[in-house]
Amino acid sequence: AAKMAQQAQQTMHQVSDAIPAPAKSVLQSAKEKILDSDQLRTFSQFFGIGQQQSTKDGTTSTNPPPFSLAFNPTVLCPRLTNNVKFFYLNYLLLTAVVFAIVL
């Protein structure tokens, strides 16, 4: 196992050395921007648990209304776009966990 880990480390160093310095800096800045831990949303926020909703009389309620789906593309597309932008890191993490479980 130690020999295999050492070979993997040597391979990573060889790959890293083969990448030009400008490309490394671009990759590093992209990694910092995309994998920013401040973009990771909480479990309750990701699943919409306990969100406050405004009621018709102007008060707030901690019981969210049932989930609704809009099938109108003019409503659905911006809603999905905003959702992906807000939760992208959670989606990446969830995909990695499912991928690891399946393997």
Side-chain angles (χ1 to χ4, degrees), residues 2-75:
K3 184 178 179 180
M4 194 165 153
Q6 184 180 12
Q7 287 175 339
Q9 189 175 18
Q10 287 175 347
T11 303
M12 286 300 296
H13 284 295
Q14 289 172 351
V15 170
S16 178
D17 291 343
I19 299 173
K24 283 183 185 178
S25 65
V26 168
L27 290 173
Q28 182 65 25
S29 65
K31 178 183 138 191
E32 289 171 1
K33 182 179 178 185
I34 293 172
L35 299 179
D36 182 11
S37 64
D38 291 339
Q39 297 297 321
L40 190 61
R41 308 303 177 191
T42 63
F43 180 82
S44 60
Q45 196 175 25
F46 185 58
F47 288 102
I49 300 168
Q51 292 180 345
Q52 290 187 346
Q53 299 290 326
S54 296
T55 59
K56 289 181 182 179
D57 61 359
T59 60
T60 57
S61 168
T62 56
N63 297 326
F67 289 99
S68 62
L69 282 176
F71 294 105
N72 184 353
T74 59
V75 175

